[in-house]
Amino acid sequence: MSDQQDFFTLHHGLDREGPGSDASTRRALGLLPDLEGPLTVLDLGCGPGAATVVLATDLPEAQVTAVDLHAPFVEEVRRRASAAGVADRVTAVVGDMTDPSSLPGPVDLVWSEGAAYQMGFEQALATWRPLLRPGGTLVLSEPVWVAPTVTQVVSDFWTEAYPAMQPVQVRRAQAMAAGYRRIGDFTLPAADWQAYYAPIRDRLAELRHDPAMADVVAQHDHEIAVFDGGGSTMVGYQMFVLRLPA
């Protein structure tokens, strides 16, 4: 089994693919009180669709397109949208968020929780800008350094996992340099990390004695150990709410 297959075996059926919560999704939406009436929304790197369903539920006139490369996640989005009664306004498709030519646009709102780091923050700002209409809004969450100094263990882990990570002040400046106006941003609470890691801990317990899963289990054990060992005070996820000029 490949490393990627092992990863998806561990993550299959989990509620989220990164730190977050319905409450934080709604907090970000609350920074945009003018999102009313018919809207077009693009949820990129949607994973199993936790944010997708909140967007469709809380924006009752919106048409939401959810995009992810992993087909089983796309199927899960469809299932969750149906269970939530919003399937008529959610279109879930297998697609590449790094290729704007393959994505619908322009739209009113591009949303991405926990996925932009896969292409890099600055690249995401540039790649997704053509998908937005003038005056459109981009909301994305991004891991950032939140402490002036970090331990060697935390530095080693995140330098390998995301060598381009920056403090929040740098990300704000980069967003402005890319032509966006900052509406606001906030750090996801510790509970949002626990909402991600708690189900993974349970899944690791189920898979720990499967020799075929040894490598991916060890990788996730190390990631969680870094978090438990103080990484949560040095690294945070920041939710950015940005807007293009009209």
Side-chain angles (χ1 to χ4, degrees), residues 111-128:
W111 200 277
S112 185
E113 294 193 26
Y117 82 94
Q118 296 176 35
M119 57 195 296
F121 184 80
E122 288 183 285
Q123 184 62 38
L125 294 178
T127 299
W128 297 343

Side-chain angles (χ1 to χ4, degrees), residues 139-207:
V139 178
L140 71 165
S141 63
E142 164 81 357
V144 296
W145 297 114
V146 295
T149 60
V150 300
T151 64
Q152 192 64 48
V153 169
V154 172
S155 176
D156 288 347
F157 175 82
W158 281 102
T159 298
E160 179 178 356
Y162 190 25
M165 191 157 69
Q166 297 288 341
V168 64
Q169 295 88 345
V170 171
R171 294 307 192 204
R172 289 170 180 160
Q174 289 170 339
M176 292 180 63
Y180 294 86
R181 179 167 62 91
R182 173 176 163 263
I183 303 300
D185 59 73
F186 59 90
T187 305
L188 300 186
D192 284 13
W193 287 84
Q194 294 297 350
Y196 172 57
Y197 280 132
I200 291 180
R201 294 177 198 268
D202 293 340
R203 184 63 55 80
L204 289 172
E206 297 171 6
L207 299 174

Side-chain angles (χ1 to χ4, degrees), residues 10-246:
L10 190 150
H11 282 253
H12 180 72
L14 299 184
D15 186 58
R16 294 181 174 274
E17 285 302 298
S21 65
D22 291 357
S24 290
T25 299
R26 290 189 167 104
R27 181 178 175 185
L29 278 173
L31 296 176
L32 295 164
D34 58 334
L35 286 180
E36 298 177 352
L39 297 167
T40 49
V41 182
L42 194 53
D43 185 7
L44 298 178
C46 62
T52 308
V53 171
V54 173
L55 293 170
T57 301
D58 286 32
L59 301 172
E61 296 184 64
Q63 293 292 326
V64 182
T65 301
V67 179
D68 201 280
L69 270 177
H70 188 50
F73 285 161
V74 171
E75 287 300 321
E76 178 64 9
V77 174
R78 293 170 182 159
R79 187 198 66 78
R80 292 172 78 162
S82 179
V86 295
D88 60 321
R89 293 187 294 101
V90 172
T91 302
V93 298
V94 176
D96 185 355
M97 68 179 186
T98 70
D99 179 12
S101 67
S102 68
L103 300 170
V107 299
D108 299 296
L109 174 62
V110 170
W111 200 277
S112 185
E113 294 193 26
Y117 82 94
Q118 296 176 35
M119 57 195 296
F121 184 80
E122 288 183 285
Q123 184 62 38
L125 294 178
T127 299
W128 297 343
R129 178 169 177 163
L131 299 173
L132 288 165
R133 64 164 179 77
T137 302
L138 170 63
V139 178
L140 71 165
S141 63
E142 164 81 357
V144 296
W145 297 114
V146 295
T149 60
V150 300
T151 64
Q152 192 64 48
V153 169
V154 172
S155 176
D156 288 347
F157 175 82
W158 281 102
T159 298
E160 179 178 356
Y162 190 25
M165 191 157 69
Q166 297 288 341
V168 64
Q169 295 88 345
V170 171
R171 294 307 192 204
R172 289 170 180 160
Q174 289 170 339
M176 292 180 63
Y180 294 86
R181 179 167 62 91
R182 173 176 163 263
I183 303 300
D185 59 73
F186 59 90
T187 305
L188 300 186
D192 284 13
W193 287 84
Q194 294 297 350
Y196 172 57
Y197 280 132
I200 291 180
R201 294 177 198 268
D202 293 340
R203 184 63 55 80
L204 289 172
E206 297 171 6
L207 299 174
R208 193 168 301 284
H209 303 296
D210 182 349
M213 296 294 294
D215 288 346
V216 76
V217 167
Q219 292 166 12
H220 283 73
D221 278 342
H222 178 56
E223 178 179 344
I224 291 173
V226 170
F227 174 79
D228 290 342
S232 61
T233 65
M234 304 171 200
V235 174
Y237 256 83
Q238 199 78 3
M239 187 81 84
F240 292 91
V241 180
L242 309 170
R243 179 162 284 175
L244 289 182

